[in-house]
Amino acid sequence: MALFSLRAKGPLEALLRLAGLVLVMSLVVLGFWKNSERNIERLNARVGLSDETKSLSDEERDHVLAFIASVRKNYGIDARVQVALQTLAPPQADGKTLYLGLCPSERLAVVQLPPLMAGALGQDFAQTLVDEHFPFHYAPGRRWQKGLLLALDLMESRLAGLGANNTTPAPAAASTPTGDHKDTK
Protein backbone atom coordinates (compact mmCIF):
# COMPACT_ATOMS: atom_id res chain seq x y z
CA MET A 1 0.00 0.00 0.00
CA ALA A 2 2.98 2.32 0.34
CA LEU A 3 3.05 2.52 -3.44
CA PHE A 4 -0.28 4.37 -3.45
CA SER A 5 0.53 6.70 -0.58
CA LEU A 6 0.48 10.43 -1.14
CA ARG A 7 3.80 11.05 0.53
CA ALA A 8 7.01 10.81 -1.43
CA LYS A 9 10.33 9.97 0.17
CA GLY A 10 12.22 12.46 -1.95
CA PRO A 11 11.94 14.94 -4.80
CA LEU A 12 12.83 12.33 -7.44
CA GLU A 13 10.01 10.03 -6.32
CA ALA A 14 7.56 12.96 -6.29
CA LEU A 15 8.62 13.89 -9.82
CA LEU A 16 8.22 10.28 -11.02
CA ARG A 17 4.77 10.04 -9.46
CA LEU A 18 3.74 13.31 -11.10
CA ALA A 19 5.08 12.10 -14.48
CA GLY A 20 3.18 8.83 -14.06
CA LEU A 21 -0.03 10.70 -13.25
CA VAL A 22 0.40 12.96 -16.30
CA LEU A 23 1.07 9.90 -18.49
CA VAL A 24 -2.06 8.09 -17.27
CA MET A 25 -4.22 11.18 -17.77
CA SER A 26 -2.76 11.69 -21.26
CA LEU A 27 -3.56 8.11 -22.22
CA VAL A 28 -7.14 8.48 -20.95
CA VAL A 29 -7.64 11.68 -22.94
CA LEU A 30 -6.10 10.12 -26.07
CA GLY A 31 -8.32 7.04 -25.74
CA PHE A 32 -11.42 9.19 -25.31
CA TRP A 33 -10.44 11.30 -28.34
CA LYS A 34 -9.90 8.27 -30.61
CA ASN A 35 -13.14 6.64 -29.46
CA SER A 36 -15.07 9.84 -30.17
CA GLU A 37 -13.52 10.11 -33.66
CA ARG A 38 -14.50 6.52 -34.43
CA ASN A 39 -18.07 7.06 -33.20
CA ILE A 40 -18.48 10.26 -35.23
CA GLU A 41 -17.15 8.48 -38.31
CA ARG A 42 -19.68 5.67 -37.83
CA LEU A 43 -22.54 8.14 -37.37
CA ASN A 44 -21.56 10.09 -40.49
CA ALA A 45 -21.46 6.89 -42.53
CA ARG A 46 -24.88 5.79 -41.27
CA VAL A 47 -26.35 9.15 -42.26
CA GLY A 48 -24.99 8.54 -45.77
CA LEU A 49 -26.97 5.30 -46.24
CA SER A 50 -30.73 5.19 -46.58
CA ASP A 51 -32.21 1.74 -47.26
CA GLU A 52 -36.00 2.08 -47.32
CA THR A 53 -36.39 -1.39 -48.80
CA LYS A 54 -34.48 -3.06 -45.94
CA SER A 55 -33.15 -5.51 -48.53
CA LEU A 56 -29.44 -5.07 -47.90
CA SER A 57 -27.92 -7.77 -45.72
CA ASP A 58 -25.77 -6.80 -42.75
CA GLU A 59 -22.63 -7.64 -44.74
CA GLU A 60 -23.75 -5.56 -47.72
CA ARG A 61 -24.74 -2.70 -45.42
CA ASP A 62 -21.30 -2.81 -43.76
CA HIS A 63 -19.66 -2.77 -47.20
CA VAL A 64 -21.60 0.36 -48.21
CA LEU A 65 -20.84 2.05 -44.88
CA ALA A 66 -17.13 1.24 -45.28
CA PHE A 67 -17.19 2.82 -48.77
CA ILE A 68 -18.88 5.97 -47.44
CA ALA A 69 -16.34 6.29 -44.62
CA SER A 70 -13.41 5.59 -46.96
CA VAL A 71 -14.45 8.21 -49.53
CA ARG A 72 -14.93 10.79 -46.78
CA LYS A 73 -11.61 10.02 -45.14
CA ASN A 74 -9.46 9.66 -48.26
CA TYR A 75 -11.01 12.25 -50.59
CA GLY A 76 -13.15 14.55 -48.41
CA ILE A 77 -16.29 13.67 -50.36
CA ASP A 78 -19.68 13.18 -48.72
CA ALA A 79 -21.16 9.99 -50.16
CA ARG A 80 -24.87 9.26 -50.01
CA VAL A 81 -26.42 5.97 -51.03
CA GLN A 82 -30.21 5.80 -51.18
CA VAL A 83 -32.27 2.70 -51.87
CA ALA A 84 -35.85 3.94 -52.27
CA LEU A 85 -39.20 2.18 -52.36
CA GLN A 86 -40.93 4.58 -54.75
CA THR A 87 -39.16 7.73 -55.88
CA LEU A 88 -35.59 8.90 -55.68
CA ALA A 89 -34.81 12.24 -54.07
CA PRO A 90 -31.31 13.26 -55.14
CA PRO A 91 -29.81 16.14 -53.17
CA GLN A 92 -28.97 19.43 -54.82
CA ALA A 93 -25.56 19.16 -56.47
CA ASP A 94 -23.09 21.00 -54.25
CA GLY A 95 -19.70 20.06 -55.64
CA LYS A 96 -18.68 17.75 -52.80
CA THR A 97 -21.43 15.14 -52.58
CA LEU A 98 -21.47 11.80 -54.36
CA TYR A 99 -25.03 10.51 -54.68
CA LEU A 100 -25.99 7.03 -55.78
CA GLY A 101 -29.72 6.37 -55.73
CA LEU A 102 -31.48 3.14 -56.62
CA CYS A 103 -35.16 2.34 -56.92
CA PRO A 104 -35.39 -1.43 -57.47
CA SER A 105 -39.19 -1.45 -57.89
CA GLU A 106 -38.93 0.94 -60.86
CA ARG A 107 -35.48 -0.31 -61.97
CA LEU A 108 -34.06 3.20 -61.78
CA ALA A 109 -30.59 4.41 -60.90
CA VAL A 110 -29.28 7.93 -60.42
CA VAL A 111 -25.58 8.70 -60.06
CA GLN A 112 -24.36 12.23 -59.34
CA LEU A 113 -20.62 12.74 -59.03
CA PRO A 114 -18.90 15.89 -57.76
CA PRO A 115 -17.18 17.74 -60.63
CA LEU A 116 -13.65 16.81 -59.59
CA MET A 117 -14.56 13.15 -59.16
CA ALA A 118 -16.41 13.14 -62.50
CA GLY A 119 -13.32 14.55 -64.17
CA ALA A 120 -11.10 11.96 -62.51
CA LEU A 121 -13.34 8.99 -63.30
CA GLY A 122 -14.32 10.20 -66.75
CA GLN A 123 -17.25 12.37 -67.75
CA ASP A 124 -19.25 9.39 -69.01
CA PHE A 125 -18.60 7.16 -65.96
CA ALA A 126 -21.83 8.06 -64.13
CA GLN A 127 -23.91 7.71 -67.30
CA THR A 128 -22.36 4.31 -68.02
CA LEU A 129 -23.37 3.12 -64.55
CA VAL A 130 -26.94 4.37 -65.10
CA ASP A 131 -27.33 3.12 -68.70
CA GLU A 132 -25.39 -0.16 -68.65
CA HIS A 133 -24.24 -1.33 -65.22
CA PHE A 134 -27.42 -1.10 -63.16
CA PRO A 135 -29.85 -2.26 -65.92
CA PHE A 136 -27.68 -5.38 -66.24
CA HIS A 137 -28.01 -6.05 -62.49
CA TYR A 138 -31.77 -5.33 -62.51
CA ALA A 139 -32.29 -8.12 -65.06
CA PRO A 140 -34.05 -11.33 -64.00
CA GLY A 141 -31.74 -13.74 -62.24
CA ARG A 142 -29.45 -10.91 -61.15
CA ARG A 143 -29.15 -9.11 -57.82
CA TRP A 144 -29.15 -5.32 -57.77
CA GLN A 145 -27.43 -5.48 -54.36
CA LYS A 146 -24.41 -7.09 -56.00
CA GLY A 147 -24.51 -4.40 -58.71
CA LEU A 148 -24.45 -1.71 -56.03
CA LEU A 149 -21.43 -3.23 -54.30
CA LEU A 150 -19.62 -3.72 -57.61
CA ALA A 151 -20.27 -0.09 -58.61
CA LEU A 152 -18.89 1.15 -55.27
CA ASP A 153 -15.84 -1.12 -55.60
CA LEU A 154 -15.28 0.08 -59.17
CA MET A 155 -15.36 3.73 -58.06
CA GLU A 156 -13.01 3.06 -55.18
CA SER A 157 -10.53 1.08 -57.26
CA ARG A 158 -10.47 3.71 -60.03
CA LEU A 159 -9.88 6.47 -57.48
CA ALA A 160 -7.15 4.43 -55.80
CA GLY A 161 -5.59 3.80 -59.21
CA LEU A 162 -5.51 7.53 -59.87
CA GLY A 163 -3.77 8.08 -56.54
CA ALA A 164 -1.18 5.45 -57.43
CA ASN A 165 -0.55 7.12 -60.79
CA ASN A 166 0.11 10.47 -59.10
CA THR A 167 2.96 9.01 -57.05
CA THR A 168 5.17 8.13 -60.01
CA PRO A 169 8.74 9.37 -59.66
CA ALA A 170 9.66 12.53 -61.55
CA PRO A 171 12.57 11.05 -63.58
CA ALA A 172 10.24 8.51 -65.21
CA ALA A 173 8.11 11.36 -66.61
CA ALA A 174 11.16 12.96 -68.25
CA SER A 175 11.61 10.48 -71.09
CA THR A 176 12.57 11.20 -74.66
CA PRO A 177 9.75 11.54 -77.22
CA THR A 178 10.55 8.15 -78.73
CA GLY A 179 10.34 6.47 -75.34
CA ASP A 180 14.05 5.56 -75.39
CA HIS A 181 15.99 6.35 -72.25
CA LYS A 182 19.61 7.34 -72.69
CA ASP A 183 22.10 6.55 -69.97
CA THR A 184 24.21 9.61 -69.15
CA LYS A 185 26.89 7.86 -67.07
Side-chain angles (χ1 to χ4, degrees):
M1 281 315 263
L3 181 64
F4 298 108
S5 69
L6 297 175
R7 296 183 182 158
K9 294 180 183 172
L12 181 61
E13 185 178 343
L15 185 62
L16 288 175
R17 286 179 185 236
L18 179 63
L21 180 64
V22 169
L23 178 67
V24 168
M25 291 301 291
S26 299
L27 290 175
V28 168
V29 169
L30 181 67
F32 180 75
W33 183 290
K34 291 295 181 182
N35 186 44
S36 297
E37 278 182 351
R38 196 173 61 239
N39 287 337
I40 288 172
E41 195 173 292
R42 258 190 245 138
L43 287 173
N44 284 336
R46 283 201 174 102
V47 169
L49 174 61
S50 171
D51 181 15
E52 296 172 4
T53 64
K54 305 291 184 212
S55 55
L56 291 174
S57 70
D58 288 340
E59 184 178 294
E60 293 164 340
R61 188 175 194 74
D62 290 343
H63 189 98
V64 173
L65 292 174
F67 170 81
I68 292 169
S70 172
V71 168
R72 176 184 282 273
K73 180 181 177 186
N74 295 333
Y75 308 106
I77 294 173
D78 294 329
R80 294 185 162 228
V81 177
Q82 178 187 16
V83 182
L85 285 171
Q86 296 295 325
T87 58
L88 294 170
Q92 180 117 2
D94 64 359
K96 66 173 188 146
T97 302
L98 161 78
Y99 173 78
L100 198 150
L102 300 175
C103 185
S105 62
E106 297 179 20
R107 300 183 185 273
L108 290 176
V110 175
V111 179
Q112 290 178 345
L113 300 175
L116 289 175
M117 184 183 254
L121 295 175
Q123 293 299 329
D124 61 338
F125 180 77
Q127 201 60 42
T128 303
L129 287 177
V130 170
D131 293 341
E132 297 173 16
H133 179 80
F134 285 112
F136 175 78
H137 288 285
Y138 280 140
R142 306 264 181 215
R143 294 189 68 235
W144 63 264
Q145 294 93 335
K146 184 174 182 175
L148 170 64
L149 299 181
L150 288 173
L152 297 178
D153 288 343
L154 180 61
M155 277 188 245
E156 195 163 25
S157 66
R158 279 191 165 188
L159 289 171
L162 292 172
N165 289 342
N166 289 339
T167 59
T168 57
S175 63
T176 60
T178 61
D180 298 328
H181 296 285
K182 296 183 179 179
D183 197 6
T184 57
K185 290 184 182 178

